Amino acid sequence: MDEKHVCPSCGQPVETVVRRHKTLGAWVPVWKPGPCRNTGCAAYEGPASAPAVPDPGSSAAARPAPGRSADQPSPKQP
């Protein structure tokens, strides 16, 4: 894949980002042009943001299994 994407407003090269869509029950990757990072461009979207870091207290491991309350101990695994 040697296709280079450029901003439609200013013509500056932009990064390629991967999006996905569902086709026939499977998620399929789609490569599209990313946002323009040229501060003088009308299509400028600001600096890249860092990915959100999940709160450790909200992970699935911290939640009790369905049908159990937080007070009930988990069954021991063999």
Side-chain angles (χ1 to χ4, degrees), residues 36-70:
C36 185
R37 301 290 181 214
N38 179 4
T39 56
C41 178
Y44 175 68
E45 291 194 16
S49 62
V53 178
D55 180 17
S58 67
S59 70
R63 282 186 248 139
R68 293 193 173 274
S69 69

Side-chain angles (χ1 to χ4, degrees), residues 5-16:
H5 296 285
V6 295
C7 174
S9 297
C10 67
Q12 178 177 341
V14 294
E15 65 185 351
T16 301

Side-chain angles (χ1 to χ4, degrees), residues 19-41:
R19 305 259 191 239
R20 62 185 190 147
H21 72 273
K22 205 167 196 178
T23 301
L24 298 174
W27 288 103
V28 179
V30 178
W31 288 266
K32 294 187 174 192
C36 185
R37 301 290 181 214
N38 179 4
T39 56
C41 178

